[in-house]
Amino acid sequence: QVQLVESGGDSVQSGGSLRLSCVASGLTFSRNYMGWFRQVPGKEREGVAAIDSDGTTIYADSVKGRFTISQDNAKNTVYLQMNSLKPEDTRMYYCAVGRALLLRPIFYNYWGQGTQVTVSS
């Protein structure tokens, strides 16, 4: 059974930083695509960043240069380092396991429960 557990969400001031973590179990971590998504209640889930087993990464335009996705295969963990946070980054953040290096939720099969990030101005 695949399980994903996110952590690291918090409330920060604009310009601050956070690092989100997602620990995966029940899958061969290094053979999958891992992604971070975010969502405001009532709106569609938005792709933020994704990484493949070779370390190739993609990012949404809104976070390029500010967010960095990385993974530690030995720890079955994927990270999202978020710098220069803005109030519009306030969302619930989810990690997911997918089948392609894309930022569309339809390509992801398993999801964590989410961790809340709140950025105040």
Side-chain angles (χ1 to χ4, degrees), residues 6-84:
E6 303 99 332
S7 61
D10 205 344
S11 296
V12 297
Q13 294 283 331
S14 181
S17 297
L18 285 173
R19 189 176 80 156
L20 306 183
S21 300
C22 173
V23 180
S25 60
L27 56 83
T28 305
F29 187 77
S30 61
R31 297 180 184 176
N32 286 276
Y33 301 89
M34 301 297 298
W36 284 98
F37 294 78
R38 61 187 186 182
Q39 188 174 26
V40 172
K43 294 194 175 182
E44 290 188 3
R45 197 161 288 189
E46 170 194 16
V48 175
I51 187 168
D52 72 8
S53 57
D54 293 327
T56 302
T57 57
I58 58 172
Y59 295 92
D61 287 343
S62 59
V63 306
K64 280 180 182 176
R66 300 189 299 123
F67 291 11
T68 303
I69 187 171
S70 62
Q71 62 187 8
D72 185 332
N73 290 339
K75 295 182 178 179
N76 274 17
T77 302
V78 62
Y79 303 98
L80 186 67
Q81 178 66 44
M82 304 186 296
N83 298 328
S84 302

Side-chain angles (χ1 to χ4, degrees), residues 101-121:
L101 190 63
L102 294 170
L103 293 179
R104 294 178 60 190
I106 194 172
F107 290 100
Y108 289 77
N109 307 99
Y110 301 98
W111 296 83
Q113 82 290 347
T115 186
Q116 178 67 37
V117 172
T118 303
V119 185
S120 56
S121 57

